[in-house]
Amino acid sequence: MRYAMAVDTKKCVGCSDCVVACQTENDVPIGYCRDWIVEVTDGTYPQLELEHRSERCNHCENSPCVRCCPTGASHYSDGGIVLVTKNKCIGCGACIASCPYDARFTHPKGYVDKCTFCIHRVKKGQEPACVAVCPTKCMYFGDLDDPNSDVSKVIKKRKYKTLIPEAGTQPQLYFLI
Amino acid sequence: MGKSRRDFIKISALGAVGVLVGSRLLTAQNNTVIPESLKGPWLMPEDLHRTPTYCEVCFWKCAGWTYKNKDGQIQKIIGNDDDPNSNGRFCPRGTGGVGMYYDEDRLKTPLIRVEAADGTQTYKEVSWEEAFDYIQEKLEKVIKKHGPESLALFTHGSGGTYFGNLLKALGSQNITAPSYAQCRGPREVGFIATFGEGLSSPEPTDIRDCKCMVLIGSHIGENMHNGHVQEMSDAIDKGATIITVDPRFSTAASKSKHWLPIKPSTDIALLMAWIHVLIYEERYDKKYVEQYTFGFEQLKAHVKHMTPEWAYGITTIKPQVIRETAREMSYASPATIIHPGRHVTWYGDDTQRLRAVAILNALLGSWGRRGGFYIPDKAKVPGVPHPPYPEPKKTWRDAMNGKYELADLALANGVCDATIPSATNDANVKAWIVNGTNLIETLPNRPKTLEAINALDLMVVVDTMPMEITGYADVVLPECTYLERYDSLRLTQHREPTISLRMPAMKPKYDSKPAWWMAKNLAERLGKGEYFPFDSIEEELDFQLKKVGSSLEEMQSIGVKKMEREYDDLYYRDGEEIEFNTNTGKIELYSTSLEEYGFDPMPKYTAHPEPPEGYYRLIYGRAPMHTFSRTANNPNLTDLMDENTVWVNPKVAKEWDLQNGQEIYLQNQDNVVSTFPIKVRITERIRWDSVYMVHGFGHSKKQLSRAFGRGASDTELITNVMMDPIMGGTGMRGNFITFRFNKA
């Protein structure tokens, strides 16, 4: 089982629904976020291009954040989802420094927090909150080991990119382009 | 005439709470929405871990579920799968609606304006009893002296149903929403003149099945009309062609096959040139036009000279692009939508521009066809029984001197005019109730709004938040949010008619109350209790639902109920005989009704004033995480976007030596300077002759702790209003700004 997510940049409008839905689903305090929107403009008026994408932790297969954690709080869980065990985390911040995607943050309560692929929902057969709310339905989630899952089908059909592939982290967040 | 001018009360120096024992209030209405003694086969909010609601953050009214956590507090709001408006997915504003409930800056108690010993005006916290006493006394005085026709209601929220009922019961028809003459009015009148019917809301655009969609003055994707954004995404998946006409590279433009960076204010020329191409290249739907339309030959002669070459000189869009895009529309026809847009009050000739949009749709045969415009239907539920409303002897129209007779709804600016005493004002409005609309940020030409307010004998503002409009009120009544109350059933139109229930998830916070309770109390006091025959809103809703085979109990568990369509077909059948609600019974390409009233029967292009040297046209729009000025203090939504910026083209920035993020003031052509500075956003996405900002920021009320002073208000810079002579719409895009580095 290998969980992954795909975001279709052709449909994402950068509305930030994924951000606020994640906050209300996961009690993320105001001022912090587990996912965010990136907007990139290219060109000169009127030859222009615009890309919107919803970013979060990439749940990398070769994650530096798991490797550098001194307590083992940062670990791989079901389907390769990267999680932080709150009460093992000492808030040292090594993982934050090691992540090339700036995906982690220190929760006001002292432990390090980030996207969990809504594992509590996934275990119940539901999609992560961001995927379930997205009004343009531009997000796909599922098991890459299952050729019939939404995410497997869509990355077979479409061109995609991952972020900072040269860092060698093997990110599991695919951006359809 | 009030003793002193109505000063804007800036600081909440609240005096002692007025304590009054006594109960002319309805039974047991302390902090509960429902009377203690209520019995009924329905559940209370505390018995349910999820309650149905429909959203009040914007006007789409998506149906959803409010979930509570194990402590019984609101956790999150998600969509109802059975709702055609939302299809189970809420937009960011709906998802962030929890913030409306938790916003600690909410209005908490009723307030009455009082004058202190030193002459300054402030608000005193009072009980509901005292507030109602005050309103009753003032209203009775106004009605006795000036008649019930001197009352007016401005509403842009669900509470309008109840205050509207109250006003009509008293004998006034001056009920208005800014969503008409400040927003979609011109398109309603333009489409009524053409097709015999308007669009209403949500617009029946069959986006999910369209093959070509033309957005001219619409920025879906930043304008977060939920179901329509969803359907545009479906259309993109199916390979639909999107054509966007916008001086700004909007999100929709970035997803378009063709983006036409039009010179602002020249849209009618482009629309007429498209009509010319379709007619002279014979690419219109001949069968449809022959069977259903009137005035084709006149239209053909009218657009003869309106060639793409002619339009190029006006719009800067190349002739070949105009031809190519017209052909795209024709290839996809009838599954082509020239989107009517929503906020269309721009330059004063807006009804005519929307006539051109309607004509284009008619030539493509999209009205009543799949992928074009479907035939909507809405659920019919009997109203609440009450005695007939008294007939008012006059309305706001009596102040209009015969103008704007084609307006099919009341003009908010018209009611304003009817409030300002003058020799020509026969309507003589003296008292306002304002519910759920921040008129200070909504109506352009703020000095006029203030002039009207100062002429009032009574102003009551009902709101959830201390918005700017509350600073001018005599009485402020704190409404609880939609998450804490029942409201009337949602019966909006769609492909499938549905009924949707709003019930509270929580009891009202602080001393806030629902609108129906306020209206009923006032009605009882003013001798109109028979217009509110039920003791509780639960009984009223249950009564209505039982008439259509449902019940309050059923609706509490399903939230949305689908009903049968009255008309079988979503679309016209091929060759079907149809009579349109126009003078000729046909779709009027040549408008006989406009001609009757002395207006051009077919649209003409008029050049509009351009910005002078050193000035830029002010264009404004929406952000997907905000609704006007309503959400600028919502903690969840300000977390996503907490201020607006002014978009400036890099060439212009270079000329003025502006840096990204630099704070500057904006000054308009009438020398109005923005109260607050705004940060510069240097971007290639905006033309060099314009600047762009998102509407709804620059709040000036300190009690809005998150919104105060953040960004700038576009509304205060909109002082030049271009009036639409046909229906009285207030065109707002004829304002030009320049930059100032300091305020003084």
Side-chain angles (χ1 to χ4, degrees):
Chain A
M1 194 160 60
R2 206 325 153 194
Y3 288 125
M5 192 183 280
V7 176
D8 190 344
T9 64
K10 287 213 177 327
K11 301 202 298 186
C12 176
V13 294
C15 71
S16 311
D17 210 350
C18 49
V19 182
V20 57
C22 170
Q23 287 174 314
T24 59
E25 172 75 31
N26 295 301
D27 289 317
V28 182
I30 304 255
Y32 299 85
C33 59
R34 292 181 173 185
D35 59 355
W36 58 92
I37 296 294
V38 171
E39 183 185 272
V40 184
T41 310
D42 237 325
T44 326
Y45 190 100
Q47 267 74 46
L48 289 166
E49 272 174 17
L50 181 59
E51 181 179 280
H52 282 106
R53 43 176 207 259
S54 167
E55 293 187 5
R56 64 203 32 73
C57 163
N58 291 261
H59 297 273
C60 307
E61 266 188 356
N62 183 24
S63 36
C65 59
V66 171
R67 200 164 42 245
C68 75
C69 176
T71 66
S74 199
H75 65 281
Y76 298 110
S77 178
D78 301 0
I81 293 182
V82 176
L83 296 176
V84 176
T85 309
K86 289 187 227 183
N87 51 18
K88 273 194 190 172
C89 173
I90 56 171
C92 73
C95 57
I96 295 178
S98 77
C99 174
Y101 308 107
D102 251 337
R104 290 171 168 243
F105 60 93
T106 309
H107 192 281
K109 292 202 176 130
Y111 53 84
V112 169
D113 202 20
K114 66 178 198 66
C115 164
T116 60
F117 268 175
C118 279
I119 192 170
H120 63 287
R121 289 172 58 98
V122 173
K123 281 190 169 150
K124 290 191 270 186
Q126 296 170 330
E127 292 179 314
C130 53
V131 177
V133 83
C134 177
T136 61
K137 289 171 285 188
C138 78
M139 300 178 64
Y140 305 86
F141 178 84
D143 180 4
L144 277 182
D145 288 341
D146 170 10
N148 289 318
S149 72
D150 287 344
V151 72
S152 296
K153 286 196 279 203
V154 85
I155 64 173
K156 207 169 191 184
K157 228 174 41 167
R158 297 274 303 271
K159 277 207 309 227
Y160 60 83
K161 67 179 184 191
T162 55
L163 298 178
I164 322 180
E166 63 273 20
T169 56
Q170 290 161 53
Q172 297 307 307
L173 180 49
Y174 300 89
F175 293 96
L176 311 178
I177 49 178
Chain B
M1 199 29 219
K3 340 161 243 266
S4 40
R5 275 184 62 257
R6 190 169 282 106
D7 295 336
F8 179 64
I9 296 178
K10 289 185 180 176
I11 308 160
S12 90
L14 299 174
V17 178
V19 175
L20 262 177
V21 182
S23 59
R24 287 179 53 212
L25 294 176
L26 294 176
T27 41
Q29 293 294 354
N30 291 325
N31 258 318
T32 50
V33 173
I34 39 189
E36 247 82 83
S37 56
L38 178 77
K39 281 181 181 63
W42 48 73
L43 296 163
M44 312 289 262
E46 49 268 30
D47 298 331
L48 294 160
H49 93 284
R50 77 168 191 175
T51 49
T53 188
Y54 58 86
C55 188
E56 186 92 351
V57 186
C58 88
F59 315 99
W60 218 242
K61 303 187 187 174
C62 298
W65 299 101
T66 310
Y67 278 78
K68 290 185 270 206
N69 60 23
K70 53 179 164 44
D71 299 323
Q73 297 301 307
I74 294 180
Q75 170 82 41
K76 65 183 183 185
I77 308 171
I78 64 172
N80 185 318
D81 289 330
D82 293 328
D83 175 35
N85 279 15
S86 74
N87 301 304
R89 292 164 188 262
F90 263 27
C91 86
R93 297 153 314 153
T95 307
V98 298
M100 245 198 217
Y101 174 76
Y102 286 114
D103 191 339
E104 70 279 9
D105 292 334
R106 281 171 61 172
L107 290 171
K108 300 177 176 68
T109 73
L111 303 168
I112 293 180
R113 173 185 296 264
V114 294
E115 196 171 298
D118 63 355
T120 56
Q121 297 183 0
T122 185
Y123 282 122
K124 183 176 141 197
E125 288 177 356
V126 298
S127 67
W128 282 97
E129 184 86 21
E130 215 180 316
F132 286 147
D133 279 343
Y134 182 99
I135 296 171
Q136 177 185 356
E137 192 200 314
K138 286 276 170 125
L139 273 181
E140 280 171 349
K141 229 189 213 154
V142 168
I143 292 172
K144 185 161 180 207
K145 190 163 177 210
H146 303 283
E149 298 88 356
S150 67
L151 308 179
L153 168 66
F154 292 79
T155 173
H156 211 183
S158 304
T161 307
Y162 307 106
F163 292 115
N165 187 24
L166 172 65
L167 239 76
K168 285 188 251 186
L170 289 168
S172 165
Q173 295 276 354
N174 298 327
I175 299 165
T176 182
S179 47
Y180 186 70
Q182 280 63 59
C183 187
R184 54 191 180 88
R187 75 169 199 193
E188 296 306 307
V189 177
F191 272 63
I192 290 171
T194 313
F195 296 107
E197 52 184 322
L199 292 150
S200 193
S201 180
E203 301 81 355
T205 43
D206 206 20
I207 300 175
R208 68 187 183 193
D209 279 332
C210 82
K211 300 206 175 86
C212 176
M213 181 158 71
V214 180
L215 300 172
I216 176 162
S218 168
H219 54 334
I220 299 183
E222 284 155 288
N223 157 2
M224 199 64 208
H225 279 164
N226 196 353
H228 286 186
V229 174
Q230 295 184 21
E231 290 197 18
M232 181 169 83
S233 180
D234 291 339
I236 290 174
D237 264 342
K238 293 182 194 172
T241 296
I242 304 182
I243 298 168
T244 299
V245 181
D246 198 322
R248 184 181 66 100
F249 190 64
S250 61
T251 301
S254 75
K255 299 193 187 306
S256 299
K257 183 172 176 187
H258 299 274
W259 169 46
L260 279 54
I262 194 168
K263 178 174 167 185
S265 82
T266 64
D267 312 80
I268 292 183
L270 175 61
L271 289 160
M272 300 313 284
W274 275 335
I275 291 170
H276 171 101
V277 174
L278 288 184
I279 292 180
Y280 286 91
E281 289 188 9
E282 297 192 35
R283 292 178 186 276
Y284 57 95
D285 186 332
K286 295 206 175 90
K287 187 166 163 217
Y288 184 99
V289 167
E290 177 150 355
Q291 181 172 12
Y292 296 129
T293 74
F294 163 84
F296 180 81
E297 291 305 322
Q298 292 97 312
L299 180 65
K300 182 170 177 175
H302 180 71
V303 299
K304 183 156 188 223
H305 74 282
M306 298 179 183
T307 62
E309 284 71 22
W310 163 84
Y312 173 45
I314 297 167
T315 62
T316 75
I317 305 298
K318 299 204 168 74
Q320 200 44 36
V321 173
I322 297 177
R323 290 198 167 84
E324 244 175 70
T325 45
R327 290 168 191 164
E328 292 260 26
M329 294 175 218
S330 153
Y331 299 147
S333 129
T336 303
I337 301 171
I338 315 298
H339 198 287
R342 184 84 168 193
H343 174 88
V344 292
T345 43
W346 302 353
Y347 306 110
D349 55 359
D350 311 297
T351 305
Q352 293 290 9
R353 186 182 69 257
L354 269 300
R355 273 272 300 145
V357 169
I359 289 169
L360 202 42
N361 278 305
L363 291 176
L364 292 161
S366 64
W367 186 261
R369 313 282 281 289
R370 178 183 290 276
F373 294 80
Y374 61 82
I375 302 168
D377 201 0
K378 43 158 96 166
K380 281 153 203 66
V381 174
V384 173
H386 59 73
Y389 293 129
E391 195 64 43
K393 293 191 211 73
K394 51 185 174 174
T395 71
W396 60 275
R397 284 192 194 268
D398 288 288
M400 299 289 102
N401 299 311
K403 287 199 288 192
Y404 316 135
E405 285 185 34
L406 282 165
D408 62 310
L409 291 179
L411 310 182
N413 45 302
V415 176
C416 236
D417 287 337
T419 310
I420 299 173
S422 79
T424 51
N425 175 7
D426 250 355
N428 203 28
V429 170
K430 291 284 175 205
W432 286 3
I433 300 178
V434 181
N435 171 224
T437 172
N438 188 10
L439 295 177
I440 301 302
E441 288 300 323
T442 304
L443 296 176
N445 192 0
R446 197 177 283 178
K448 188 179 226 203
T449 312
L450 296 179
E451 195 189 341
I453 290 175
N454 270 312
L456 289 169
D457 285 352
L458 173 69
M459 180 153 130
V460 178
V461 174
V462 182
D463 209 315
T464 57
M465 295 293 298
M467 287 290 167
E468 282 74 12
I469 189 64
T470 61
Y472 295 94
D474 294 310
V475 186
V476 179
L477 299 179
E479 192 178 10
C480 56
T481 71
Y482 67 107
L483 297 166
E484 299 148 89
R485 64 188 205 233
Y486 282 95
D487 264 307
S488 53
L489 300 168
R490 184 204 80 180
L491 306 170
T492 48
Q493 68 180 25
H494 217 281
R495 295 183 183 90
E496 287 167 302
T498 56
I499 300 175
S500 168
L501 173 72
R502 172 184 289 160
M503 78 169 280
M506 308 292 289
K507 294 189 162 76
K509 249 189 170 190
Y510 314 116
D511 200 10
S512 64
K513 294 276 187 268
W516 70 264
W517 180 86
M518 296 181 215
K520 184 173 165 78
N521 263 289
L522 287 170
E524 297 276 346
R525 283 161 170 267
L526 294 164
K528 299 289 175 181
E530 10 158 43
Y531 290 84
F532 290 81
F534 293 96
D535 284 338
S536 72
I537 192 168
E538 289 90 333
E539 285 173 11
E540 180 177 298
L541 293 169
D542 195 44
F543 167 85
Q544 290 184 285
L545 288 164
K546 290 216 159 87
K547 295 261 174 192
V548 292
S550 180
S551 67
L552 182 55
E553 192 184 10
E554 181 189 30
M555 290 305 294
Q556 285 180 328
S557 79
I558 59 176
V560 173
K561 189 177 175 80
K562 295 193 175 149
M563 309 295 280
E564 289 294 311
R565 277 179 67 95
E566 191 179 338
Y567 314 102
D568 284 328
D569 304 318
L570 258 188
Y571 312 107
Y572 300 151
R573 269 167 278 138
D574 198 36
E576 181 183 347
E577 285 291 315
I578 301 166
E579 176 144 358
F580 294 88
N581 193 21
T582 56
N583 289 337
T584 54
K586 301 256 186 223
I587 295 175
E588 294 197 354
L589 305 174
Y590 179 102
S591 171
T592 57
S593 58
L594 286 180
E595 186 181 47
E596 229 173 275
Y597 282 87
F599 300 111
D600 290 330
M602 291 173 295
K604 291 192 180 127
Y605 169 71
T606 332
H608 294 300
E610 297 187 29
E613 182 80 39
Y615 282 73
Y616 309 91
R617 186 181 298 272
L618 174 62
I619 312 180
Y620 51 85
R622 311 281 174 240
M625 61 286 287
H626 280 293
T627 304
F628 317 137
S629 68
R630 174 178 287 201
T631 50
N633 205 63
N634 177 318
N636 294 73
L637 299 178
T638 45
D639 202 21
L640 303 178
M641 176 181 180
D642 57 1
E643 62 183 354
N644 58 359
T645 56
V646 60
W647 294 31
V648 179
N649 183 283
K651 289 197 188 69
V652 173
K654 189 155 181 211
E655 236 178 85
W656 286 81
D657 199 20
L658 296 173
Q659 309 302 320
N660 222 4
Q662 177 176 356
E663 287 196 340
I664 47 161
Y665 292 88
L666 304 176
Q667 176 177 320
N668 80 356
Q669 73 284 339
D670 296 324
N671 294 321
V672 174
V673 180
S674 59
T675 305
F676 300 109
I678 183 171
K679 295 194 172 102
V680 170
R681 174 187 177 168
I682 301 177
T683 171
E684 292 281 354
R685 292 171 60 188
I686 184 73
R687 267 177 77 99
W688 54 86
D689 60 0
S690 312
V691 295
Y692 175 80
M693 53 200 279
V694 170
H695 168 72
F697 290 89
H699 277 276
S700 54
K701 204 125 197 319
K702 284 213 176 86
Q703 289 108 313
L704 298 168
S705 63
R706 273 173 289 272
F708 175 75
R710 305 307 307 269
S713 162
D714 53 326
T715 308
E716 69 179 341
L717 299 165
I718 298 174
T719 50
N720 177 35
V721 177
M722 301 169 81
M723 293 300 295
D724 186 326
I726 298 176
M727 50 63 61
T730 50
M732 303 189 212
R733 299 215 166 137
N735 290 274
F736 312 119
I737 61 98
T738 187
F739 305 117
R740 286 182 69 104
F741 296 97
N742 359 72
K743 186 97 193 248

